[in-house]
Amino acid sequence: MPVTDTDLANAIRALSMDAVQAANSGHPGMPMGMADVATVLFTRYLKYDPAEPKWADRDRFVLSAGHGSMLLYSLLHLTGYARPTIEDIKNFRQVGSPCAGHPENFELPGVECTTGPLGQGLAMAVGMAMAERHLNAEFGDDLVDHRTWVIAGDGCLMEGINHEAIGLAGHLKLGRLIVLWDDNKITIDGDTGLSTSEDIPARYEATGWHVVECDGHSFADISRAMDAAVKDDRPTLVRCRTIIGKGAPNKQGTAKTHGSPLGDEEVAAARKELGWDYPPFEVPGDIREVWLQNGKSRAAPHAKWQERLANSDQREEFERRMAGDLPQGFSVRDHVTRLLGEPKTVATRKASEMALEAINAALPETVGGSADLTGSNNTLTKGLGTFDRDDYGGRYVYYGIREFGMAAAMNGMALHGGVIPYGGTFLVFSDYARPAIRLSALQRARVVYVMTHDSIGLGEDGPTHQPIEHMMSLRVIPNLDTYRPADTVETAECWELAVSRKDGPSLLALSRQNLPQLRAEAEENRCARGAYRLKAAEAERRVILIASGSEVETAVEVREKLEARGIGADVVSMPCWSRFDAQPQDYRDDILPNVAPEKILRVSIEAGTTMGWERYTMVNGLRFGLDRFGASGPGARLYDHFELTAGAIEAKIVSTLG
Amino acid sequence: MPVTDTDLANAIRALSMDAVQAANSGHPGMPMGMADVATVLFTRYLKYDPAEPKWADRDRFVLSAGHGSMLLYSLLHLTGYARPTIEDIKNFRQVGSPCAGHPENFELPGVECTTGPLGQGLAMAVGMAMAERHLNAEFGDDLVDHRTWVIAGDGCLMEGINHEAIGLAGHLKLGRLIVLWDDNKITIDGDTGLSTSEDIPARYEATGWHVVECDGHSFADISRAMDAAVKDDRPTLVRCRTIIGKGAPNKQGTAKTHGSPLGDEEVAAARKELGWDYPPFEVPGDIREVWLQNGKSRAAPHAKWQERLANSDQREEFERRMAGDLPQGFSVRDHVTRLLGEPKTVATRKASEMALEAINAALPETVGGSADLTGSNNTLTKGLGTFDRDDYGGRYVYYGIREFGMAAAMNGMALHGGVIPYGGTFLVFSDYARPAIRLSALQRARVVYVMTHDSIGLGEDGPTHQPIEHMMSLRVIPNLDTYRPADTVETAECWELAVSRKDGPSLLALSRQNLPQLRAEAEENRCARGAYRLKAAEAERRVILIASGSEVETAVEVREKLEARGIGADVVSMPCWSRFDAQPQDYRDDILPNVAPEKILRVSIEAGTTMGWERYTMVNGLRFGLDRFGASGPGARLYDHFELTAGAIEAKIVSTLG
């Protein structure tokens, strides 16, 4: 008998239920419910090459409902990707297997992005679709001409970020974005009717989307809907009416199949129901062969594309961009030299704009933006052009009041490759974007967060807008480099480090208020060390003042007062903890000598929470900051109010020294 | 000439532009644009009593677009609230004035909630409307029968949380919720068309809302729309077509009026345009008088309500509930005594359910829920009933996959008063709710967050679902009490502390995996101290092991191994940092004596980031945890993999002691 689409889909179902059963953990319902839709997608629509998972012009496929990871692992395996192997799948959800509970881009090259935190996959796909159109505008149809496909569940659509993501996609008319909605009417708690009564297609249409429907278990109907999606010039939501856990006769259509193994008995019943008369993890040769052939045939366009690339005069630039390499010799040294020539007292958000003028001119791959705070974040430089539906070549995105959506879109752009995204909001609203910042770090995505108004120094907007705990709460995110530069030179240096980092995100915390230029030399990028001695004690060293950002100025003032009393004090500027912690022991010992507090008192000054600074001041040092919410008033007045002035700090240090 | 509605509205406009001008900071555009709508609301619809701002059956008014704070301050002042005075308004945005940059509920009794972080005001209003219906179901129309009104801007509607909030409100059919949308087509960056092309009314209709429109500068039309809103049994969005900065002749209708003072020249031009021929901050007597009369007349229902309350047999209970007092003698002691009688090895999420069975039975004011993880968060206890459109008396809310919306709704419920909300999700998704958790803390709202699956111990779901940095990032939020209990007894104690706290939120981090019962006595609530000595050293004390949650078990095992070697070790269980830090010095010195590490080595064990633990271990102590993302695999296997086992920890301690 010839192999049918149903056979192909049942191979996914069998692998999924077997792997979940073997792991005794996982989500069989979604892979079994969407197996038919995924089969149509991977055999007739998606453009991909299992032999070269990272081929630049491949379609991007995002499993936004990441808990259904076995769907993706099954597809990658069956279509012939080198990984996962059947052994990998047998070890689903075990330490060491690339088949993690949720798909992770750093485990398998065939996984475009890490999903599981609901809503973010679809929102990243928006960013991928933006990057695609942007690169298409620059490199043309010959090199860049692909789609972004998403499978999303009810959870992805119910999360707030869905509103931000589809609003952006509809506004930008991202017609190459197609979302396949697994409309199974089931969430973990039970029927979707428990918590929602929304008309989802109407909502999508309200934001400029094209919506089609299909029976998610009819191959012909799925194809018809996908054809309609491909033809339309708007982003498309394909409502796939499915039965969760389809094939498990006693549990399908219920929440019981969602997040638990089916159980041996029901797995056996499903084998019977599906006519799948093979042992666990075995896919019969003929079915395996047809899957492999499909994997090969979908890769046909790759060879032609290689030819076009070989003949393109943009080849070198395109390859550089997609490899994520910066242009030869890129550096901010010239810019910094100019800064030294004309020292400026400006806010670091302005210093950031000045650095960006140089960076954006040198790096055509940057794509900037702001969540409706362009003039405050100083993220727009001359000549970038607006990225919109009429000009995807523009390099500046008006993200709207969508911090989370912006951050997720930037993740998608960075993962797509070819662009380096940066985007701004107020530091306090890093909270809104935080789930995506975490995913930048986990996914090792080169995204630069420009977070201005970084302390009570912002003044009158008051406690709702004044970050207190934010720097510390961001420093604890693994693999995120956080920077709080003190002046124009440090800001430029931190920017250089941020855009040069290929394996993770960076976040710049910038002041609203003006700060003096403190650095008078710039032979090397001193921020690369994370912390460095800005001023050395002149009198006998009794104190080391450690500060970041706007408080480095305060530290310098405190030092002058102490030195005037004959108390020697170093000033250590510490823009980046993670970089400092990564320095060799001898460097760290030089900056912060391991001496008892009675001999050298360590003092931290940062207009934010003091918790955590014990790491550098030691418990017996002094920590100046703010462990309560701020207040509304002019910024300078607030520093007085909260006793974060050089005079108050000097007094406390002197009394501590005795 | 008789005082007209226009005169009343212009008083708002004048105060707003003058205050912003005097502060040289603020947002005049929104108050001037919405002055007409607000005048109609406060003179004809809103039920409030300036003499008793906290009257229980008042309508709630939420200025979701909090940057337009001068609108609210003007209204409270003009209608006769004791504060703000005209002096307060003259000191708008100055330290010490209750007229902060954004409205703050803890500064002015007339302010229902703290707004400014966009989208959250409206989402809190949903919670207020839920609380109103819930209390109405319990106490009847006589005591509880009011509406919730919101003014929201484009920012509030563009934020992701708007989707979650209106989805919930539409699903629950909260007909007493009315949102007045300031449709001025302007955001900070410019025209809304820069970033959105959404059909907002269609989106609201898609989620079950009633939508009406009006000319926001026609008093009659505004009234017509409000009448329609009041009549409909669905929540209503009133689209108010307005001109931002209306009255400022050269700047109105543009982003220039949004977030900056108009400037002296334009203020003068606006005076002319408005025919407002009075000095700054002066409101002529007749206009002032009409405003005051309106304030009085809107309070008319209050006296009748007082009569009904006096005659109600539910009076005592109603007053107790609204005062936020727990029933006399409430305690978990009986429950704890039972626990001691039959020690149980259960996950703390299960221990939480056990505690909740007792608490929900004792406290009729609790309203629980989960963001679609009911069975995982163990938040549903027997007999609560479902809160839905058919039964607002139910005490359990299926919030759907809406972590942020849930948290904001809980803030609204807590601020409404009469209920104590708690809600669950996974600890890792505290990130999704974080902006609302911050507002719980800032607003001093009694909300209890039930965050389960609190470490790599959750196992197979992998790094996307494994909290690493979360406990620490939550501990740095001012005024948030975070708890990580170790067993059934501690869990019950932490719950008791959480529901008993009137002035702020609490967060419980709970394990997915089983944990043994460690506490064998319970004469007092030992968690109230934040940390306590669970086990004292038997041999000479060389080590203090400090741990939280699931790692207290590990600490106990390590202690046994050390004692077997003749090394004395205390085990300190530390469920709550903020409570411990608030203890008297002598208690803290007793638990953690200030002795050099050579004499007593301090060791922290917590399956999360180690940053911050220096506070208790001192820099030269040892910190066991995880400063990287987790992995997918069975939980116990991950503890091995990351060397967080008693054996590995013992070895390191022994080698450190030398």
Side-chain angles (χ1 to χ4, degrees):
Chain A
M1 282 215 303
V3 171
T4 65
D5 284 339
T6 299
D7 295 329
L8 297 181
N10 284 345
I12 296 172
R13 291 191 172 95
L15 285 176
S16 298
M17 70 182 185
D18 288 345
V20 171
Q21 196 61 35
N24 195 27
S25 164
H27 300 75
M30 193 283 221
M32 296 178 79
M34 283 297 277
D36 297 327
V37 173
T39 297
V40 174
L41 177 62
F42 273 70
T43 60
R44 300 184 212 166
Y45 292 88
L46 196 72
K47 180 170 78 169
Y48 62 103
D49 185 352
E52 247 188 83
K54 293 295 179 200
W55 166 38
D57 198 35
R58 71 192 180 278
D59 283 357
R60 299 319 193 253
F61 170 69
V62 173
L63 186 74
S64 190
H67 53 272
S69 55
M70 270 311 304
L71 178 71
L72 181 50
Y73 300 147
S74 301
L75 289 160
L76 295 178
H77 173 69
L78 291 168
T79 54
Y81 284 75
R83 301 291 290 269
T85 63
I86 196 72
E87 285 307 310
D88 293 333
I89 288 178
K90 286 181 185 169
N91 286 309
F92 176 54
R93 291 186 159 233
Q94 305 308 307
V95 176
S97 169
C99 295
H102 292 81
E104 292 162 1
N105 66 309
F106 47 91
E107 291 285 359
L108 286 170
V111 173
E112 300 288 357
C113 59
T114 298
T115 51
L118 291 176
Q120 291 199 61
L122 196 159
M124 287 192 274
V126 172
M128 292 178 187
M130 289 169 69
E132 191 271 347
R133 281 297 88 186
H134 183 67
L135 293 169
N136 173 273
E138 190 152 352
F139 294 99
D141 288 348
D142 273 3
L143 298 188
V144 184
D145 183 16
H146 55 268
R147 296 181 195 283
T148 303
W149 300 80
V150 179
I151 286 182
D154 287 297
C156 290
L157 272 50
M158 215 185 290
E159 288 284 0
I161 190 173
N162 187 255
H163 170 50
E164 301 186 14
I166 72 167
L168 197 56
H171 179 67
L172 296 172
K173 209 174 178 185
L174 299 172
R176 288 165 165 266
L177 175 64
I178 301 173
V179 174
L180 310 167
W181 164 34
D182 179 17
D183 178 23
N184 59 29
K185 305 207 185 300
I186 293 293
T187 72
I188 293 175
D189 274 357
D191 192 278
T192 50
L194 268 179
S195 58
T196 183
S197 26
E198 180 185 319
D199 179 348
I200 289 174
R203 176 167 70 88
Y204 271 69
E205 281 164 354
T207 54
W209 282 58
H210 167 230
V211 180
V212 289
E213 297 199 12
C214 68
D215 173 348
H217 301 302
S218 154
F219 297 100
D221 207 40
I222 297 164
S223 280
R224 180 196 49 74
M226 288 192 189
D227 283 341
V230 165
K231 270 187 208 125
D232 203 276
D233 64 352
R234 295 164 294 175
T236 295
L237 177 75
V238 182
R239 177 186 200 163
C240 308
R241 294 187 308 274
T242 62
I243 295 165
I244 191 169
K246 170 132 173 107
N250 307 302
K251 295 189 172 181
Q252 65 183 15
T254 75
K256 285 181 199 155
T257 69
H258 178 91
S260 319
L262 296 178
D264 286 327
E265 200 175 319
E266 182 71 359
V267 167
R271 285 198 136 68
K272 210 169 266 183
E273 171 86 6
L274 298 171
W276 191 262
D277 196 19
Y278 317 105
F281 300 108
E282 189 177 310
V283 177
D286 55 344
I287 296 178
R288 189 173 276 286
E289 187 53 33
V290 173
W291 260 122
L292 284 173
Q293 283 308 321
N294 270 296
K296 284 196 182 120
S297 72
R298 297 310 308 159
H302 186 186
K304 288 182 189 157
W305 180 89
Q306 284 290 5
E307 266 176 48
R308 294 197 300 275
L309 178 68
N311 296 324
S312 168
D313 52 10
Q314 293 182 292
R315 175 178 185 161
E316 201 177 331
E317 175 67 2
F318 181 77
E319 289 186 334
R320 177 188 77 74
R321 294 274 290 270
M322 291 307 296
D325 296 325
L326 301 185
Q328 279 284 331
F330 166 76
S331 141
V332 296
R333 284 305 97 187
D334 289 352
H335 169 62
V336 167
T337 304
R338 278 195 301 278
L339 292 173
L340 294 178
E342 22 172 344
K344 281 203 162 59
T345 293
V346 294
T348 46
R349 63 182 170 135
K350 178 67 184 171
S352 169
E353 181 185 325
M354 292 156 61
L356 270 174
E357 290 283 2
I359 289 168
N360 284 338
L363 303 182
E365 56 264 52
T366 57
V367 173
S370 166
D372 197 46
L373 289 169
T374 295
S376 300
N377 299 147
N378 297 65
T379 34
L380 177 59
T381 62
K382 282 183 284 293
L384 286 188
T386 300
F387 178 96
D388 62 25
R389 59 166 73 185
D390 300 318
D391 179 12
Y392 293 121
R395 288 171 59 195
Y396 193 79
V397 184
Y398 288 96
Y399 283 104
I401 300 132
R402 301 183 181 106
E403 298 82 7
F404 191 6
M406 171 177 76
M410 292 201 293
N411 280 338
M413 286 189 232
L415 293 168
H416 179 281
V419 297
I420 300 177
Y422 70 85
T425 184
F426 289 155
L427 180 58
V428 81
F429 298 135
S430 62
D431 280 352
Y432 277 68
R434 189 172 173 96
I437 297 174
R438 184 174 210 255
L439 270 192
S440 307
L442 180 59
Q443 298 181 106
R444 304 170 194 169
R446 176 159 47 185
V447 171
V448 186
Y449 294 97
V450 183
M451 300 292 193
T452 69
H453 296 58
D454 72 346
S455 76
I456 51 167
L458 67 85
E460 291 87 348
D461 274 345
T464 53
H465 283 55
Q466 289 163 357
I468 298 292
E469 70 277 22
H470 297 79
M471 280 308 293
M472 208 58 75
S473 79
L474 291 160
R475 285 176 180 134
V476 292
I477 297 179
N479 199 37
L480 171 67
D481 283 342
T482 59
Y483 296 96
R484 193 162 182 258
D487 73 354
T488 56
V489 174
E490 282 197 4
T491 304
E493 290 181 345
C494 294
W495 259 112
E496 183 177 82
L497 297 168
V499 295
S500 302
R501 182 178 186 212
K502 291 179 78 165
D503 63 351
S506 303
L507 182 146
L508 284 78
L510 303 167
S511 77
R512 177 190 183 215
Q513 73 272 29
N514 283 348
L515 301 174
Q517 186 163 318
L518 297 170
R519 277 276 288 283
E521 47 59 51
E523 280 140 48
E524 54 169 341
N525 184 327
R526 300 189 77 181
C527 293
R529 297 281 205 164
Y532 64 93
R533 189 177 296 115
L534 176 68
K535 302 272 183 192
E538 287 174 24
E540 190 197 348
R541 181 168 65 178
R542 299 282 312 283
V543 175
I544 299 176
L545 300 158
I546 315 164
S548 80
S550 45
E551 284 69 65
V552 180
E553 176 188 11
T554 313
V556 169
E557 286 170 34
V558 172
R559 175 180 173 276
E560 279 165 21
K561 289 173 185 285
L562 293 174
E563 294 277 352
R565 290 173 177 268
I567 300 169
D570 285 357
V571 172
V572 171
S573 177
M574 188 179 270
C576 180
W577 286 28
S578 52
R579 283 189 167 266
F580 180 68
D581 289 350
Q583 296 305 306
Q585 187 72 42
D586 62 341
Y587 180 80
R588 285 182 286 141
D589 285 347
D590 176 51
I591 300 300
L592 298 177
N594 192 5
V595 174
E598 301 80 58
K599 296 204 172 160
I600 301 182
L601 179 69
R602 296 196 198 169
V603 177
S604 67
I605 314 176
E606 185 174 72
T609 184
T610 63
M611 188 189 290
W613 274 105
E614 290 91 349
R615 169 169 291 202
Y616 304 113
T617 65
M618 304 190 287
V619 172
N620 294 321
L622 294 179
R623 289 164 293 281
F624 295 92
L626 211 63
D627 292 306
R628 47 154 291 170
F629 290 110
S632 176
R637 182 75 191 75
L638 292 176
Y639 275 89
D640 282 346
H641 183 69
F642 293 116
E643 300 187 334
L644 276 175
T645 57
I649 292 168
E650 175 208 13
K652 189 75 193 294
I653 291 172
V654 169
S655 89
T656 301
L657 291 175
Chain B
M1 284 214 302
V3 171
T4 64
D5 284 340
T6 299
D7 295 328
L8 297 181
N10 284 346
I12 297 171
R13 291 191 171 94
L15 285 176
S16 298
M17 72 183 182
D18 288 345
V20 171
Q21 194 62 33
N24 196 27
S25 165
H27 301 74
M30 193 282 219
M32 297 177 78
M34 283 297 278
D36 298 327
V37 173
T39 296
V40 173
L41 177 62
F42 274 70
T43 60
R44 298 184 214 167
Y45 291 88
L46 197 72
K47 180 169 78 167
Y48 61 104
D49 185 352
E52 245 187 86
K54 294 294 181 200
W55 166 38
D57 198 35
R58 72 193 181 278
D59 283 357
R60 299 320 193 253
F61 171 69
V62 173
L63 185 74
S64 190
H67 52 273
S69 55
M70 270 311 304
L71 178 71
L72 181 51
Y73 300 148
S74 301
L75 288 160
L76 295 178
H77 174 67
L78 290 168
T79 53
Y81 284 76
R83 302 290 289 270
T85 63
I86 195 73
E87 286 307 310
D88 294 333
I89 288 178
K90 285 181 184 169
N91 286 310
F92 177 56
R93 290 184 161 236
Q94 305 307 307
V95 176
S97 169
C99 295
H102 293 80
E104 292 162 0
N105 65 309
F106 48 92
E107 291 284 358
L108 286 170
V111 173
E112 299 288 357
C113 59
T114 298
T115 51
L118 292 176
Q120 291 199 60
L122 196 158
M124 287 191 276
V126 171
M128 292 179 187
M130 289 167 69
E132 192 272 344
R133 281 297 86 187
H134 183 66
L135 293 169
N136 172 273
E138 190 150 353
F139 294 99
D141 288 348
D142 273 2
L143 298 188
V144 184
D145 183 16
H146 54 268
R147 296 180 194 285
T148 303
W149 300 81
V150 180
I151 287 182
D154 288 296
C156 290
L157 271 52
M158 217 185 289
E159 288 285 1
I161 189 174
N162 187 255
H163 170 50
E164 301 186 15
I166 72 168
L168 197 56
H171 178 66
L172 296 173
K173 208 173 177 186
L174 300 172
R176 288 163 165 267
L177 174 64
I178 301 174
V179 174
L180 309 167
W181 165 33
D182 179 18
D183 178 24
N184 59 29
K185 303 204 185 305
I186 293 294
T187 72
I188 292 175
D189 274 358
D191 193 277
T192 49
L194 267 177
S195 57
T196 182
S197 24
E198 180 186 318
D199 179 349
I200 289 173
R203 175 167 70 87
Y204 270 69
E205 282 163 354
T207 54
W209 282 58
H210 167 230
V211 180
V212 288
E213 296 200 11
C214 69
D215 173 349
H217 301 302
S218 156
F219 298 100
D221 207 39
I222 297 165
S223 282
R224 180 197 49 75
M226 288 193 188
D227 283 342
V230 165
K231 268 186 212 128
D232 204 275
D233 66 351
R234 294 164 294 175
T236 296
L237 177 75
V238 181
R239 177 187 199 162
C240 307
R241 293 185 310 272
T242 62
I243 296 164
I244 191 169
K246 170 131 174 109
N250 307 301
K251 294 188 172 180
Q252 65 184 15
T254 75
K256 284 179 200 158
T257 69
H258 178 91
S260 319
L262 296 177
D264 288 327
E265 200 176 318
E266 182 71 357
V267 167
R271 286 198 135 66
K272 210 169 264 179
E273 172 87 5
L274 299 171
W276 190 264
D277 197 20
Y278 316 104
F281 301 108
E282 190 177 309
V283 177
D286 55 344
I287 296 177
R288 189 173 276 285
E289 187 53 33
V290 174
W291 260 121
L292 285 173
Q293 282 309 321
N294 271 295
K296 282 192 184 126
S297 71
R298 297 311 306 159
H302 185 185
K304 287 183 192 159
W305 181 87
Q306 285 290 6
E307 266 175 48
R308 294 197 299 274
L309 179 67
N311 296 322
S312 168
D313 54 9
Q314 293 182 290
R315 176 178 185 160
E316 201 177 332
E317 176 65 2
F318 182 77
E319 289 185 332
R320 179 189 76 74
R321 294 275 290 271
M322 291 307 295
D325 296 325
L326 301 186
Q328 280 284 332
F330 167 77
S331 138
V332 297
R333 284 305 95 185
D334 288 352
H335 169 62
V336 167
T337 303
R338 278 194 301 278
L339 292 173
L340 294 178
E342 24 174 341
K344 282 204 162 58
T345 292
V346 295
T348 48
R349 63 179 171 136
K350 178 67 183 171
S352 169
E353 181 185 324
M354 291 154 61
L356 270 174
E357 290 283 3
I359 289 169
N360 284 337
L363 303 182
E365 56 264 51
T366 56
V367 174
S370 166
D372 197 45
L373 289 168
T374 295
S376 300
N377 300 146
N378 297 66
T379 35
L380 177 60
T381 62
K382 281 182 284 293
L384 287 188
T386 300
F387 179 97
D388 62 26
R389 58 166 73 186
D390 300 318
D391 179 11
Y392 293 121
R395 288 170 60 194
Y396 194 80
V397 184
Y398 289 95
Y399 284 103
I401 300 130
R402 303 183 179 106
E403 298 82 6
F404 191 5
M406 171 178 75
M410 291 200 294
N411 281 337
M413 285 190 233
L415 293 168
H416 180 282
V419 297
I420 299 177
Y422 70 84
T425 184
F426 290 156
L427 179 59
V428 80
F429 299 136
S430 62
D431 281 353
Y432 277 68
R434 190 173 172 95
I437 297 173
R438 185 175 209 256
L439 270 191
S440 308
L442 179 59
Q443 297 182 105
R444 303 170 194 169
R446 174 158 48 183
V447 171
V448 185
Y449 294 97
V450 184
M451 301 291 193
T452 70
H453 295 58
D454 72 346
S455 76
I456 51 168
L458 67 85
E460 292 88 346
D461 273 346
T464 54
H465 284 53
Q466 290 163 356
I468 298 294
E469 70 277 22
H470 296 79
M471 279 309 293
M472 208 58 76
S473 79
L474 290 160
R475 287 178 179 133
V476 293
I477 296 180
N479 198 38
L480 172 67
D481 283 341
T482 59
Y483 296 97
R484 193 162 182 261
D487 72 355
T488 56
V489 175
E490 282 198 4
T491 303
E493 290 181 344
C494 293
W495 258 112
E496 181 177 82
L497 297 168
V499 294
S500 302
R501 183 180 185 210
K502 291 180 80 166
D503 64 350
S506 304
L507 182 146
L508 283 79
L510 304 167
S511 76
R512 176 190 184 216
Q513 73 273 29
N514 283 349
L515 302 174
Q517 187 163 317
L518 297 170
R519 277 275 288 284
E521 47 58 51
E523 280 139 50
E524 54 168 343
N525 184 328
R526 301 189 76 179
C527 292
R529 297 281 205 165
Y532 64 94
R533 189 177 298 114
L534 176 68
K535 302 271 183 192
E538 287 172 25
E540 189 197 350
R541 182 168 64 177
R542 298 285 310 283
V543 175
I544 298 176
L545 301 158
I546 314 163
S548 81
S550 45
E551 284 69 64
V552 179
E553 176 188 12
T554 313
V556 169
E557 286 171 33
V558 172
R559 175 180 172 277
E560 278 165 23
K561 288 173 186 283
L562 292 174
E563 294 276 354
R565 289 172 178 268
I567 300 169
D570 285 357
V571 172
V572 171
S573 178
M574 188 180 269
C576 180
W577 286 28
S578 53
R579 283 189 166 267
F580 180 68
D581 289 349
Q583 296 305 307
Q585 186 73 42
D586 62 343
Y587 180 80
R588 285 182 286 141
D589 285 348
D590 176 51
I591 301 299
L592 298 177
N594 193 5
V595 173
E598 300 81 57
K599 295 204 174 161
I600 301 181
L601 180 69
R602 297 196 197 167
V603 177
S604 67
I605 315 176
E606 186 175 71
T609 184
T610 63
M611 188 188 290
W613 274 106
E614 290 90 349
R615 167 170 293 201
Y616 303 113
T617 64
M618 305 191 286
V619 172
N620 295 321
L622 294 179
R623 289 164 293 284
F624 294 91
L626 211 63
D627 291 305
R628 49 153 291 170
F629 291 109
S632 175
R637 182 73 190 77
L638 292 175
Y639 275 88
D640 282 345
H641 183 69
F642 292 116
E643 300 186 336
L644 276 175
T645 57
I649 293 168
E650 176 208 11
K652 189 75 192 294
I653 291 173
V654 169
S655 88
T656 302
L657 291 174

